[in-house]
């Protein structure tokens, strides 16, 4: 599912609003994960913490008009991409949530579907995008070693 730039911007703003509740010039004190719950029927994206406190809520028009059975599987890459770009831009550096914490995709029963982004100083979450082409690179490396 391809989202418009406006929808991507709305999602990013909702995430920024949610994490802004955990931004201050104090030491890290909150212990929580951030749960993103998209709803295909209404087109709503709800953002919660571990205590089910709503941190943000926005409407995504493309979601409300999507009629496929694979909604969460189609939403996941877009959310993951937005979060990764936000992390690279430093949007999560001043958050007072104790590390490690995660951004998690949840379904309508608030069951975890996927971990979208892990924020930790020492850990990198490996995903399919990172592993693309790794087999070929390793095969080429081994072939080169064996030929020498």
């Amino acid at each position: 599912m391809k989202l418009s730039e406006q929808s991507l911007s709305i999602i990013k703003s909702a995430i920024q609003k949610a994490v802004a509740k955990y931004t201050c010039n104090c030491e890290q004190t909150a212990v929580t994960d951030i749960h993103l719950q998209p709803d295909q029927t209404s087109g709503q994206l709800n953002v919660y913490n571990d205590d089910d406190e709503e941190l943000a809520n926005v409407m995504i028009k493309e979601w409300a008009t999507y009629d496929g059975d694979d909604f969460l599987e189609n939403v996941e890459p877009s959310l993951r991409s937005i979060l990764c770009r936000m992390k690279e831009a430093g949007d999560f550096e001043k958050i007072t949530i104790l590390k490690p914490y995660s951004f998690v995709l949840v379904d309508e029963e608030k069951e975890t579907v996927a971990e979208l982004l892990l924020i930790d100083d020492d850990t990198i979450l490996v995903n399919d995008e990172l592993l693309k082409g790794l087999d070929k690179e390793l095969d080429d490396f081994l072939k080169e070693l064996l030929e020498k």
Side-chain angles (χ1 to χ4, degrees):
M1 169 186 337
K2 181 77 171 136
L3 293 176
S4 68
E5 285 300 319
Q6 179 183 10
S7 292
L8 294 171
S9 178
I10 290 170
I11 294 169
K12 180 179 177 184
S13 295
I15 295 169
Q16 287 171 329
K17 177 182 176 186
V19 298
K21 297 182 184 200
Y22 296 103
T23 304
C24 70
N25 291 328
C26 53
E27 62 184 73
Q28 295 179 333
T29 57
V31 178
T32 192
D33 286 329
I34 306 296
H35 303 267
L36 286 80
Q37 182 185 41
D39 184 350
Q40 180 176 5
T41 307
S42 67
Q44 293 289 115
L45 172 64
N46 298 308
V47 184
Y48 299 98
N49 63 15
D50 283 339
D51 298 323
D52 288 336
E53 176 187 352
E54 187 175 279
L55 305 174
N57 180 326
V58 293
M59 169 72 173
I60 308 301
K61 291 178 187 174
E62 289 98 333
W63 291 355
T65 59
Y66 185 78
D67 60 354
D69 292 336
D70 56 351
F71 174 68
L72 289 175
E73 291 82 9
N74 276 296
V75 168
E76 181 183 341
S78 298
L79 294 175
R80 187 182 309 272
S81 175
I82 291 167
L83 288 166
C84 287
R85 284 194 305 264
M86 290 176 73
K87 180 183 179 196
E88 289 169 5
D91 290 355
F92 306 130
E93 289 179 6
K94 295 186 185 217
I95 295 178
T96 59
I97 300 173
L98 288 173
K99 292 179 183 173
Y101 65 92
S102 297
F103 289 88
V104 182
L105 177 64
V106 295
D107 62 16
E108 58 274 353
E109 285 90 33
K110 296 190 179 171
E111 296 292 323
T112 299
V113 174
E115 186 171 47
L116 299 170
L117 180 67
L118 173 68
I119 304 291
D120 190 2
D121 293 332
D122 301 325
T123 306
I124 296 175
L125 189 62
V126 178
N127 62 28
D128 292 341
E129 194 64 34
L130 184 61
L131 295 176
K132 272 186 184 171
L134 184 62
D135 284 340
K136 182 177 179 342
E137 287 180 32
L138 289 174
D139 288 343
D140 292 346
F141 175 73
L142 183 59
K143 182 180 176 185
E144 186 178 320
L145 279 177
L146 292 173
E147 288 175 354
K148 289 185 178 183

